[in-house]
Amino acid sequence: MLGLGYDPAPGAAPFSLQYVLLSGHLGRRELGSVVFILGLGARHLNFNSRALAYGNEAVLPFYVFHQTIILMVGYYIIRWPIAAPLKFVIIAVLSFAAIMALYELFVRRFNAMRFLFGMRPLRRSG
């Protein structure tokens, strides 16, 4: 790491006991935070709803579409002369709307597309 120019504590001796102890403490703290958040989720987010079922079904198509759509939307929005946080919000909102429209119009309604995305076929009532 030192060969790549990484200095863990500028001005101090690299890889000192103090650095090792601090790194261990920070690592335990970060791991504890992740375990705490996962524990909260496991305790309080264990329910079913129609929105959860819909979102669970849309996960793979959303994942497949998201990068392409974000790049397409961002390519045009990033050139606008507005503040960066506003660009982020516009890109996020427009991308989400476009991805969900693609999913709803071209994937969810057609069994052939559902098959290609690894989804169960729709049951026709009748």
Side-chain angles (χ1 to χ4, degrees):
M1 289 194 317
L2 288 175
L4 297 174
Y6 174 74
D7 188 3
F15 303 109
S16 64
L17 177 62
Q18 178 185 6
Y19 171 71
V20 171
L21 292 175
L22 179 63
S23 294
H25 170 69
L26 294 176
R28 281 190 310 276
R29 187 180 70 179
E30 291 166 4
L31 178 63
S33 298
V34 170
V35 170
F36 175 74
I37 291 169
L38 290 174
L40 282 178
R43 183 174 185 157
H44 297 289
L45 298 176
N46 58 353
F47 57 89
N48 291 322
S49 69
R50 291 181 68 202
L52 187 60
Y54 179 87
N56 193 32
E57 186 179 64
V59 166
L60 183 60
F62 192 95
Y63 175 74
V64 171
F65 291 142
H66 86 278
Q67 183 177 5
T68 304
I69 300 300
I70 290 171
L71 289 175
M72 289 171 52
V73 170
Y75 178 79
Y76 296 103
I77 305 298
I78 204 71
R79 299 175 183 188
W80 291 1
I82 57 177
L86 187 56
K87 288 179 187 179
F88 172 79
V89 169
I90 292 170
I91 291 171
V93 169
L94 290 179
S95 296
F96 184 79
I99 293 165
M100 291 311 293
L102 274 174
Y103 168 68
E104 191 63 41
L105 297 174
F106 298 110
V107 176
R108 186 167 187 254
R109 299 171 188 225
F110 302 105
N111 280 335
M113 291 299 291
R114 292 175 70 86
F115 174 77
L116 292 175
F117 280 95
M119 299 165 65
R120 291 189 175 124
L122 284 177
R123 296 181 188 227
R124 301 288 180 195
S125 60

